[in-house]
Amino acid sequence: MTPKTQARVPDLRERRRQETRLEISEAALTLFERQGFAATTVDEIARTAGVSSSTFFRCFATKEESVWGPDRELESDIVEWLRSVPQEDINLSGIEAFYERSLQRLLTGSETTRERILRTRRLIASDDHLRAAAFTADALAMCRITTSVAERLRGLRSESFARLLVESAGVVSRIAFDTWVRRIERGEDADLVEIYRTIRTDLREIVVT
């Protein structure tokens, strides 16, 4: 039986750090939307967020990272999930179920969270530099997650299995997000979880044909 995963409750210092990251990210998004990514400096972002430049760099390594930083908690969540389940449950069905739960939690958080995700995705789609940086960041995250999966499955599955598992699940999530944003931009009703399920089914059909 799969053990239940207890959500880690952040302490006061961690909550404050998360709040600061969100405030900086909001300031960055607003400035990037208003005057463009290239024309905005870290000093401007920090000043708008009401923090120092050194605080900015304690929260984000780069200006690019401030765009998507608050949405990058999936990696640590996956590592926690890997530690909480038996090896035999680390498979495509298991990781897909994890992604679906993450999407549901993301969208049931608040309207503010949903709107910030949409703004982030729009901004990345509209700026070639940000889009390239996002692809690079995604690729690096997939490599780190693959390493974690491979280590957890050592002795049971190959490294190539781990990579296929992580990248297959990851590409479905990315396509689902892109499809969700496009539909909303067209004024259509769009349920991210349902879109994810449909694309997941499409992947299954491709694999078996």
Side-chain angles (χ1 to χ4, degrees):
M1 181 179 293
T2 302
K4 293 182 180 179
T5 304
Q6 291 186 341
R8 182 178 64 86
V9 179
D11 59 22
L12 181 60
R13 178 179 294 182
E14 177 62 20
R15 288 200 301 274
R16 181 53 193 153
R17 182 174 181 274
Q18 291 173 357
E19 290 170 1
T20 301
R21 284 170 61 85
L22 283 171
E23 289 164 3
I24 293 172
S25 184
E26 175 63 28
L29 277 171
T30 299
L31 288 170
F32 295 156
E33 290 168 339
R34 183 185 305 157
Q35 61 194 38
F37 175 82
T40 302
T41 67
V42 167
D43 286 342
E44 286 179 293
I45 297 170
R47 185 165 58 251
T48 302
V51 300
S52 66
S53 295
S54 59
T55 297
F56 175 97
F57 285 114
R58 280 198 294 271
C59 293
F60 301 107
T62 64
K63 186 171 70 168
E64 290 85 351
E65 190 179 303
S66 69
V67 178
W68 54 73
D71 301 324
R72 295 285 170 162
E73 297 175 1
L74 180 66
E75 186 176 343
S76 59
D77 290 344
I78 286 180
V79 171
E80 289 188 17
W81 173 74
L82 289 171
R83 292 170 179 163
S84 72
V85 298
Q87 280 183 315
E88 59 268 23
D89 290 342
I90 302 174
N91 51 36
L92 187 57
S93 295
I95 201 168
E96 285 176 340
F98 167 84
Y99 268 98
E100 183 172 323
R101 289 193 300 273
S102 296
L103 295 178
Q104 288 174 329
R105 187 168 61 248
L106 190 67
L107 292 182
T108 56
S110 68
E111 185 64 29
T112 300
T113 299
R114 179 179 180 275
E115 182 59 29
R116 178 170 52 77
I117 293 169
L118 282 170
R119 291 171 66 197
T120 299
R121 295 280 167 168
R122 289 183 191 123
L123 188 62
I124 290 172
S126 67
D127 187 286
D128 289 342
H129 174 81
L130 277 177
R131 189 159 57 249
F135 285 149
T136 300
D138 279 339
L140 292 172
M142 289 297 102
C143 287
R144 291 190 298 269
I145 293 170
T146 296
T147 297
S148 297
V149 172
E151 288 175 352
R152 186 71 176 82
L153 293 179
R154 184 173 292 130
L156 183 67
R157 294 288 190 174
S158 66
E159 290 185 11
S160 59
F161 175 91
R163 183 175 179 183
L164 282 168
L165 178 63
V166 170
E167 295 201 8
S168 297
V171 74
V172 170
S173 177
R174 289 193 295 275
I175 293 173
F177 265 114
D178 291 343
T179 303
W180 178 61
V181 172
R182 284 199 302 271
R183 289 184 182 177
I184 290 176
E185 292 289 282
R186 293 198 296 259
E188 302 173 5
D189 290 333
D191 184 318
L192 177 56
V193 174
E194 285 303 319
I195 292 170
Y196 174 80
R197 289 171 179 165
T198 299
I199 295 171
R200 186 176 63 196
T201 300
D202 290 342
L203 174 64
R204 288 282 202 275
E205 292 182 6
I206 291 171
V207 170
V208 299
T209 55

